[in-house]
């Protein structure tokens, strides 16, 4: 059998070239992904931090440089005004608080919806398990934007839900659901549900059934077994799923924009408007830095939960 | 009182109704004669015809497909390298940093990724003149950066499950590391590479926010066109587009699971 290297000459040539250059394979293999992420993931945050300290200007690009030469020396102008502005204008503080609240409540609801589903799938016979899992993941492969758009059609005043309720005679006035915070919660729960179910399932499927039997043998009622055995053991899955919903939902833009009303304040939307409508790049950068500071703690919690899952 | 297992089953069924009802309604109303998306006016395929005659949608779909194919391919290469380094190389300097950098993009809000990459591209253009202007290239770079993190997660779990003695045996028989990788490791982790490619392809095809930040004139992706249409209000041709996408995805998932089941039987 001839290997891939023989069949693909470019691979062979690249390997030979690297050997000729005296580069050890190991360091090259480390360097490629490392440099990519360094340049395109880490360095951009430094650029954002830099621009958050400059001032908006009518120029291309629309901000003042931090560093200027007056011929002899470099003049560094740092402007903390953008951050002061974030604290002065209640809009920003309200947007942060409101984003955290919306993301937290949605993550809690997603947990309550996702846990029974994950539990049911994990306890199903093996053949049915993979079919149910595919059904959970399938919507994730279709466009996120189109799924949010589908909810618009469901929730509007002449939409599917209102038409059904009017037809059934349950209501005689259409309910206002679109452009409310309720629609935003619904949209987040809907689009992030697979991210909750998958880590929970991965955890629950590994649960040792003999522990449940032991608890039952010792006279534990199903509810007691659940709260004293199943739930504590599935905590790493709960934390991972919760954070995978909570953290990205804080910065969500599409859902509040398409389902929320003008009063739905979320920080991702504020950043978008600062950038695209006001064209104030420095303030948008300051908003991003402040958002990152808020995200650090939940991201650390997520990493710890994942590390624990890997150990077990 | 109903038994706990009955309640569980009911919750589960409601959950699946919740997941699929909006998608079903999209499909049904894509065949609606009426322009009102929610009132049934008879069966029609006119929105499909309207879609096929819309040069803006077709053009942006072509751009999105090209971006997604290149993104997925580059993401698999870079993500696999990152996963291989993290599972097989033991300790090296910068390991903690690489672990952090390859998992953080998974939860980073799109608006931050988009803004930070745009500001990077603008600053690089000022400093070194590259990338000159923005468009497909900058979208691809941005997409690869967050997609490779997803590929790395998928490949990493496969590499961790793989029997390392296979690689060691090849090494003992005198094969060079590069050769061991391509002839032993790659065939074993191939399913994860395919899954990673598909995941990156989907994420790239789906992205609105990051692409909106880093794109330039003339490079509007499909989600950007959909978003501007949806924002203006109802547009039944979007239902038709959604139905086509759902059909392709369902077919793809069906073929993939059929293939996997066949492989499982023969393996």
């Amino acid at each position: 059998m001839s290997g891939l290297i023989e069949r693909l000459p470019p691979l062979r040539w690249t390997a030979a070239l690297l050997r000729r250059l005296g580069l050890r394979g190991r360091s090259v293999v480390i360097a490629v992904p490392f440099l990519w992420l360094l340049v395109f993931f880490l360095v951009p945050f430094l650029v954002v931090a830099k621009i958050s300290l400059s001032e908006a200007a009518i120029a291309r690009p629309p901000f003042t440089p931090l560093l200027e030469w007056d011929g002899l020396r470099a003049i560094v102008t740092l402007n903390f005004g953008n951050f002061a502005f974030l604290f002065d204008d209640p809009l920003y503080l309200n947007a942060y608080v409101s984003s955290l609240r919306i993301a937290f409540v949605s993550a809690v609801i997603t947990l309550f919806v996702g846990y029974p589903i994950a539990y049911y799938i994990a306890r199903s016979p093996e053949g049915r398990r993979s079919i149910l899992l595919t059904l959970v993941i399938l919507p994730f492969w279709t466009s996120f934007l189109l799924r949010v758009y589908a909810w618009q059609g469901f929730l509007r005043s002449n939409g599917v839900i209102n038409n059904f309720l009017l037809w059934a005679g349950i209501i005689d006035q259409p309910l206002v659901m679109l452009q409310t915070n309720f629609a935003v919660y619904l949209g987040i729960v809907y689009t992030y549900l697979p991210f909750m179910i998958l880590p929970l399932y991965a955890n629950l499927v590994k649960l040792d059934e003999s522990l449940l039997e032991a608890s039952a043998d010792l006279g534990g009622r199903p509810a007691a077994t659940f709260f004293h055995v199943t739930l504590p053991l599935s905590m790493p899955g709960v934390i991972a799923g919760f954070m995978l919903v909570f953290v990205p939902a804080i910065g969500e833009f599409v859902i509040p924009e398409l389902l929320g009303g003008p009063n739905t304040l979320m920080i991702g939307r504020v950043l978008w408007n600062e950038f695209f409508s006001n064209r104030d790049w420095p303030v948008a950068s300051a908003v991003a830095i402040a958002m990152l500071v808020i995200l650090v703690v939940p991201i650390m919690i997520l990493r710890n939960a994942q590390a624990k899952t890997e150990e077990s | 009182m109903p038994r706990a297992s009955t309640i569980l089953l009911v919750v589960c069924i409601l959950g699946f109704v919740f997941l699929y009802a909006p998608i079903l309604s999209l499909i049904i109303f894509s065949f609606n004669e009426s322009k009102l998306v929610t009132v049934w006016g008879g069966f029609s395929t006119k929105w499909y015809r309207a879609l096929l005659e819309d040069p803006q949608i077709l053009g942006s779909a072509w751009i999105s497909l090209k971006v997604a194919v290149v993104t997925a391919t580059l993401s698999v290469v870079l993500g696999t390298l990152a996963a291989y380094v993290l599972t097989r190389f033991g300790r090296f300097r910068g390991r903690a940093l690489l672990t952090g950098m390859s998992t953080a993009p998974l939860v980073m809000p799109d608006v931050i990724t988009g803004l930070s990459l745009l500001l990077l591209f603008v600053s690089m253009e000022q400093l070194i003149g590259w990338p000159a202007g923005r468009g497909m290239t900058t979208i691809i770079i941005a997409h690869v950066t967050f997609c490779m993190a997803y590929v790395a997660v998928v490949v990493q779990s496969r590499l961790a499950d793989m029997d390392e003695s296979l690689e060691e045996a090849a090494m003992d028989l005198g094969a060079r590391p590069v050769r061991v990788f391509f002839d032993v490791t790659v065939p074993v982790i191939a399913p994860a590479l395919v899954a990673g490619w598909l995941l990156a392809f989907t994420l790239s095809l789906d992205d609105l926010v990051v692409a909106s930040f880093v794109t330039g004139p003339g490079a509007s992706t499909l989600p950007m066109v959909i978003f501007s249409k949806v924002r203006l209000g109802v547009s039944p041709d979007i239902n038709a587009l959604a139905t086509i996408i759902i059909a392709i995805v369902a077919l793809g998932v069906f073929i993939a699971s059929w293939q996997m089941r066949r492989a499982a039987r023969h393996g």
Side-chain angles (χ1 to χ4, degrees):
Chain A
M1 191 188 99
S2 72
L4 256 179
I5 294 219
E6 278 75 30
R7 271 180 278 155
L8 292 175
L11 279 179
R12 204 169 62 224
W13 299 332
T14 315
L17 180 73
L18 290 175
R19 266 204 302 280
R20 189 72 56 83
L21 287 171
L23 281 171
R24 280 183 56 219
R26 194 181 142 97
S27 30
V28 175
V29 172
I30 296 176
V32 172
F34 195 91
L35 286 178
W36 181 286
L37 286 169
L38 199 68
V39 173
F40 295 117
F41 185 70
L42 207 58
V43 172
F45 291 132
L46 302 179
V47 180
V48 174
K50 189 196 102 180
I51 290 170
S52 73
L53 295 175
S54 66
E55 254 178 284
I58 299 169
R60 273 180 74 105
F63 50 84
T64 56
L66 284 191
L67 196 74
E68 271 174 313
W69 283 99
D70 70 347
L72 292 167
R73 43 201 177 136
I75 302 168
V76 180
T77 337
L78 293 183
N79 165 34
F80 290 93
N82 300 314
F83 288 97
F85 182 60
L86 292 191
F87 282 103
D88 278 350
D89 192 333
L91 167 80
Y92 297 99
L93 209 58
N94 289 343
Y96 280 112
V97 174
S98 155
S99 302
L100 285 172
R101 197 186 57 229
I102 291 177
F104 184 82
V105 173
S106 318
V108 171
I109 301 172
T110 316
L111 177 62
F112 277 101
V113 178
Y115 201 104
I117 300 179
Y119 188 86
Y120 181 81
I121 299 175
R123 289 282 154 272
S124 297
E126 212 166 326
R128 205 191 304 165
R129 242 185 254 164
S130 65
I131 296 173
L132 289 174
L133 266 188
T134 312
L135 280 175
V136 167
I137 304 168
L138 192 64
F140 168 79
W141 293 98
T142 66
S143 167
F144 162 74
L145 194 56
L146 291 172
R147 278 179 290 142
V148 177
Y149 165 72
W151 274 103
Q152 273 194 328
F154 247 53
L155 297 174
R156 66 178 71 244
S157 56
N158 60 350
V160 175
I161 294 179
N162 271 318
N163 282 353
F164 175 77
L165 293 176
L166 286 169
W167 171 81
I170 296 171
I171 52 170
D172 44 28
Q173 283 284 316
L175 300 172
V176 179
M177 290 181 287
L178 195 61
Q179 301 203 328
T180 61
N181 281 2
F182 165 75
V184 176
Y185 289 127
L186 201 69
I188 295 177
V189 173
Y190 182 70
T191 45
Y192 286 92
L193 192 57
F195 294 98
M196 179 65 81
I197 294 179
L198 291 181
L200 278 174
Y201 165 80
N203 180 284
L204 287 168
V205 82
K206 282 187 294 192
L207 194 72
D208 189 353
E209 292 219 24
S210 60
L211 289 173
L212 303 182
E213 284 159 20
S215 169
D217 290 346
L218 293 169
R221 288 216 305 233
T225 305
F226 177 78
F227 285 109
H228 292 294
V229 182
T230 313
L231 191 60
L233 283 174
S234 62
M235 268 332 259
V238 171
I239 294 172
F242 188 87
M243 289 301 164
L244 283 177
V245 178
F246 177 64
V247 177
I250 295 173
E252 188 54 62
F253 163 73
V254 174
I255 295 173
E257 183 72 17
L258 291 183
L259 298 180
N263 298 327
T264 311
L265 261 185
M266 283 192 82
I267 200 66
R269 214 175 168 188
V270 169
L271 194 158
W272 179 284
N273 288 333
E274 283 301 341
F275 183 83
F276 286 102
S277 311
N278 301 349
R279 300 208 40 85
D280 194 331
W281 293 19
V283 167
S285 305
V287 171
I289 293 292
M291 205 194 306
L292 272 178
V293 171
I294 293 175
L295 290 177
V296 166
V297 175
I299 289 179
M300 298 298 265
I301 296 175
L302 175 66
R303 277 205 51 197
N304 279 342
Q306 279 171 335
K308 256 185 217 146
T309 322
E310 272 163 35
E311 278 166 26
S312 66
Chain B
M1 199 185 109
R3 287 184 48 218
S5 59
T6 323
I7 300 175
L8 202 59
L9 181 68
V10 170
V11 170
C12 199
I13 290 172
L14 285 179
F16 280 108
V17 169
F18 174 61
L19 276 179
Y20 281 93
I23 295 176
L24 269 177
S25 89
L26 269 188
I27 297 174
I28 293 169
F29 283 105
S30 75
F31 295 105
N32 189 3
E33 169 73 36
S34 164
K35 189 171 166 58
L36 290 165
V37 193
T38 49
V39 181
W40 186 254
F43 181 86
S44 159
T45 53
K46 71 174 177 191
W47 302 116
Y48 290 86
R49 263 174 286 137
L51 197 66
L52 291 177
E53 283 159 12
D54 188 335
Q56 200 194 5
I57 291 226
L58 293 181
S60 63
W62 180 232
I63 290 176
S64 276
L65 275 177
K66 281 191 283 191
V67 168
V69 167
V70 178
T71 296
T73 310
L74 280 174
S75 302
V76 166
V77 174
L78 286 166
T80 307
L81 282 178
Y84 191 76
V85 165
L86 289 174
T87 44
R88 292 286 190 271
F89 279 14
R91 290 174 169 279
F92 57 88
R93 229 192 294 169
R95 187 191 160 89
L97 186 60
L98 184 61
T99 314
M101 288 194 302
S102 61
T103 49
L106 298 178
V107 288
M108 195 53 66
D110 293 344
V111 281
I112 294 186
T113 311
L115 178 72
S116 64
L117 276 161
L118 169 75
L119 296 181
L120 174 84
F121 292 141
V122 170
S123 304
M124 277 173 77
E125 194 181 2
Q126 277 180 306
L127 276 175
I128 57 171
W130 184 90
R134 290 178 297 281
M136 266 174 58
T137 315
T138 47
I139 299 178
I140 290 170
I141 292 173
H143 281 184
V144 169
T145 305
F146 70 84
C147 289
M148 68 178 277
Y150 285 85
V151 175
V153 169
V154 175
V155 174
Q156 229 172 319
S157 69
R158 183 86 188 184
L159 277 172
D161 289 342
M162 178 184 167
D163 187 0
E164 272 183 69
S165 59
L166 283 174
E167 288 163 342
E168 281 157 18
M171 222 77 101
D172 290 345
L173 293 169
R176 277 182 208 280
V178 179
R179 198 172 161 151
V180 174
F181 178 76
F182 282 105
D183 289 352
V184 179
T185 316
V186 166
V188 174
I189 63 169
L193 299 183
V194 174
W197 194 93
L198 288 172
L199 189 60
F201 180 81
T202 314
L203 288 167
S204 167
L205 209 56
D206 215 17
D207 167 67
L208 164 74
V209 173
V210 175
S212 299
F213 275 99
V214 301
T215 190
S220 289
T221 61
L222 187 59
M224 287 158 71
V225 172
I226 295 175
F227 184 65
S228 63
K229 273 182 176 258
V230 167
R231 224 183 192 179
L232 291 176
V234 199
S235 41
D237 49 341
I238 297 299
N239 285 19
L241 181 68
T243 307
I244 295 173
I245 292 177
I246 291 163
I248 295 172
V249 168
L251 191 73
V253 170
F254 178 75
I255 293 173
S257 56
W258 177 68
Q259 281 283 341
M260 272 196 292
R261 216 163 288 166
R262 213 179 54 154
R265 260 209 307 276
H266 288 275

